[in-house]
């Protein structure tokens, strides 16, 4: 008499992780996300570790979370995982301002964004 199990949002050979409220613009975050799309997870982790972008550390945490979800929740093999998709979305924008010359007001927008990473298990061809 319990509740029915929720249907999976991803396929049987996939796992997903989502990171919200990242304090960077979606455009800057997408540069880092594009760097790891389609790569094997160990290569993607190495690229993020040695990236000079500030937000790469948060992207690495999200990727590690997706890998842990794949291993622990869905029983996938970590050595065969590939970053299938990594997409970026907009979130809220904090609006601040600063006084400018002649009584005017300069707008300052502080954007937030969100990141979703999907990893997929791919069998290697011999």
């Amino acid at each position: 008499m319990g509740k029915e199990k929720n249907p999976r949002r991803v396929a049987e050979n996939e796992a997903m992780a989502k990171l919200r409220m990242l304090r960077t613009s979606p455009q800057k975050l997408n540069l880092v996300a594009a760097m790891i799309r389609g790569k094997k997870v160990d290569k993607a982790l190495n690229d993020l570790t040695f990236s000079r972008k500030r937000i790469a550390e948060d992207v690495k945490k999200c990727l590690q979370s997706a890998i842990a979800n794949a291993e622990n929740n869905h029983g996938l093999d970590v050595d065969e995982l590939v970053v299938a998709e990594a997409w970026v979305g907009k979130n809220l924008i904090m609006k601040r301002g600063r006084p400018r010359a002649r009584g005017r007001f300069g707008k300052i927008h502080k954007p937030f964004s969100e990141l979703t990473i999907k990893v997929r298990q791919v069998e290697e061809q011999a």
Side-chain angles (χ1 to χ4, degrees):
M1 289 299 204
K3 273 173 59 174
E4 288 186 22
K5 186 176 174 184
N6 285 335
R8 284 196 59 173
R9 294 186 187 134
V10 291
E12 291 298 320
N13 63 340
E14 291 179 342
M16 189 173 80
K18 191 163 190 166
L19 198 57
R20 293 187 171 98
M21 295 299 289
L22 283 169
R23 179 60 189 88
T24 187
S25 72
Q27 187 176 9
K28 291 177 186 176
L29 182 59
N30 195 35
L31 290 173
V32 179
M35 193 169 64
I36 64 169
R37 278 188 199 116
K39 292 186 178 178
K40 292 189 69 64
V41 291
D42 55 345
K43 174 81 171 103
L45 285 172
N46 279 339
D47 288 351
L48 291 172
T49 301
F50 297 108
S51 174
R52 297 183 57 151
K53 302 277 188 186
R54 174 189 64 86
I55 201 65
E57 190 175 327
D58 293 324
V59 175
K60 182 180 172 186
K61 282 184 184 177
C62 185
L63 178 58
Q64 287 172 333
S65 175
I67 294 167
N69 288 343
E71 184 179 16
N72 297 321
N73 299 348
H74 307 303
L76 302 178
D77 186 17
V78 176
D79 297 329
E80 296 178 355
L81 289 179
V82 172
V83 179
E85 300 173 31
W87 69 89
V88 175
K90 288 167 64 172
N91 210 317
L92 68 91
I93 297 176
M94 287 196 305
K95 292 168 180 86
R96 301 292 183 259
R98 121 174 237 145
R100 307 301 291 173
R102 299 169 64 175
R104 296 179 189 201
F105 185 75
K107 289 183 184 175
I108 297 175
H109 296 292
K110 300 185 177 214
F112 285 75
S113 49
E114 54 187 52
L115 171 70
T116 307
I117 295 180
K118 193 183 285 187
V119 293
R120 180 178 299 140
Q121 182 176 347
V122 178
E123 287 78 24
E124 294 187 19
Q125 304 296 328

